[in-house]
């Protein structure tokens, strides 16, 4: 059972690190995307990290509770993870590319494409949303940024 406690501590540190990294990426404005699809995929990935980290740590804490190995330290670490997961999830909010990301995409789209497209890259704005998870209105977002 000591191994479960040690695993839980390591898991908490790892999850805190991933949640902090997700917040840093969000605060920074992304990872220099190459397409709208990449922005969306990053957003989905960071949301999944927040949800997954909450459930993993909570499940391990439940197991520690059931075997009577819960301590103030593991409870504190689990609480910090829960708070960081909730903060990460709510910070992500609804999918909406930042002005920085859209300007970056516009600069990429402006050159390097085929001659049939006037040397522009229309594929930058391609987006294939999954129909089952967190769908958003891409046309509304692109129109609000003046893409078309």
């Amino acid at each position: 059972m000591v191994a479960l406690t040690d695993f839980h501590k390591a898991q908490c540190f790892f999850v805190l690190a991933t949640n902090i990294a997700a917040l840093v990426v969000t605060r920074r404005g992304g990872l220099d995307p190459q397409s709208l699809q990449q922005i969306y995929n990053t957003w989905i990935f960071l949301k999944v990290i927040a949800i997954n980290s909450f459930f993993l740590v909570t499940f391990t804490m439940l197991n520690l509770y059931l075997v009577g190995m819960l301590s103030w330290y593991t409870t504190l670490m689990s609480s910090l993870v829960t708070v960081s997961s909730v903060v990460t999830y709510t910070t992500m909010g609804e999918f909406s590319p930042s002005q920085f990301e859209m300007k970056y995409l516009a600069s990429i789209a402006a050159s390097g494409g085929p001659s049939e497209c006037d040397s522009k890259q229309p594929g930058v704005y391609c987006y294939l949303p999954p129909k089952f998870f967190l769908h958003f209105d891409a046309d509304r977002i692109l129109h609000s940024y003046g893409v078309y």
Side-chain angles (χ1 to χ4, degrees):
M1 289 300 136
V2 175
L4 182 62
T5 305
D6 290 342
F7 170 74
H8 182 66
K9 291 174 188 175
Q11 184 181 42
C12 285
F13 284 118
F14 177 75
V15 167
L16 279 172
T18 56
N19 279 321
I20 290 169
L23 289 171
V24 167
V25 166
T26 304
R27 180 86 169 138
R28 187 173 157 245
L31 298 170
D32 299 333
Q34 301 300 310
S35 68
L36 185 60
Q37 184 69 48
Q38 187 178 4
I39 296 170
Y40 182 74
N41 291 347
T42 302
W43 178 76
I44 287 286
F45 180 69
L46 295 178
K47 280 268 211 194
V48 168
I49 284 174
I51 294 167
N52 191 29
S53 61
F54 169 76
F55 285 116
L56 287 174
V57 169
T58 304
F59 180 71
T60 308
M61 187 172 165
L62 172 68
N63 287 322
L64 286 171
Y65 172 76
L66 291 176
V67 296
M69 297 286 294
L70 206 57
S71 68
W72 69 270
Y73 183 74
T74 56
T75 304
L76 177 67
M77 289 300 293
S78 297
S79 300
L80 288 173
V81 166
T82 301
V83 168
S84 73
S85 297
V86 169
V87 167
T88 302
Y89 186 81
T90 55
T91 300
M92 297 305 299
E94 185 179 328
F95 178 73
S96 178
S98 67
Q99 287 286 358
F100 170 77
E101 290 169 327
M102 292 308 287
K103 285 180 184 177
Y104 189 78
L105 287 180
S107 69
I108 291 173
S111 64
S115 60
E116 297 86 21
C117 295
D118 194 26
S119 296
K120 298 194 184 320
Q121 294 185 35
V124 167
Y125 297 111
C126 289
Y127 167 71
L128 180 61
K131 299 293 182 197
F132 59 93
F133 188 67
L134 302 172
H135 180 69
F136 77 101
D137 187 4
D139 292 333
R140 176 186 54 84
I141 290 174
L142 291 174
H143 183 69
S144 70
Y145 286 103
V147 173
Y148 65 90

